[in-house]
Amino acid sequence: MGLVIKCCTSILNRGKLYLTENARGKHLSYKLLDAAINFAKHAGYKEVYLETHHNLKTAIHLYRKYGFSELGHPLNHGEHSAMDRFFIMEI
């Protein structure tokens, strides 16, 4: 599992985040997203932006539950061409 955090101006772009099969179902995704959001707040970011794929239904559910709003397009033309769902949240 890896968490890469990239930044541009006041928006935190949360990078790739994956859980292994053994780690799933233990609410670790909540802990990891909490950590990323807390980092962003303490670092002075105003928004968190992320990209995902429509097949990743669990991730989309998590992002919506946290209050992310879906954008109809990527910011800055997107970094990952395979991603087709885009979310942002003010913090």
Side-chain angles (χ1 to χ4, degrees):
M1 170 180 30
L3 176 64
V4 179
I5 298 177
K6 302 174 187 174
C7 67
C8 58
T9 63
S10 65
I11 300 174
L12 177 76
N13 178 354
R14 203 230 0 111
K16 295 179 182 179
L17 179 91
Y18 298 99
L19 294 174
T20 63
E21 296 256 349
N22 293 341
R24 294 179 187 157
K26 299 176 182 173
H27 300 287
L28 295 176
S29 57
Y30 293 91
K31 292 179 182 180
L32 291 169
L33 192 52
D34 284 340
I37 291 170
N38 285 332
F39 168 83
K41 286 179 182 177
H42 287 90
Y45 291 96
K46 304 296 181 207
E47 296 177 297
V48 176
Y49 168 76
L50 52 90
E51 300 176 350
T52 192
H53 190 271
H54 69 271
N55 284 338
L56 300 174
K57 307 239 184 266
T58 303
I60 292 169
H61 172 78
L62 175 69
Y63 303 148
R64 287 183 173 152
K65 186 171 183 175
Y66 266 73
F68 281 87
S69 299
E70 190 163 359
L71 300 171
H73 57 82
L75 291 181
N76 301 323
H77 306 293
E79 292 184 21
H80 309 287
S81 61
M83 301 302 132
D84 59 2
R85 302 293 286 273
F86 314 98
F87 294 85
I88 197 159
M89 181 177 73
E90 287 185 27
I91 53 173

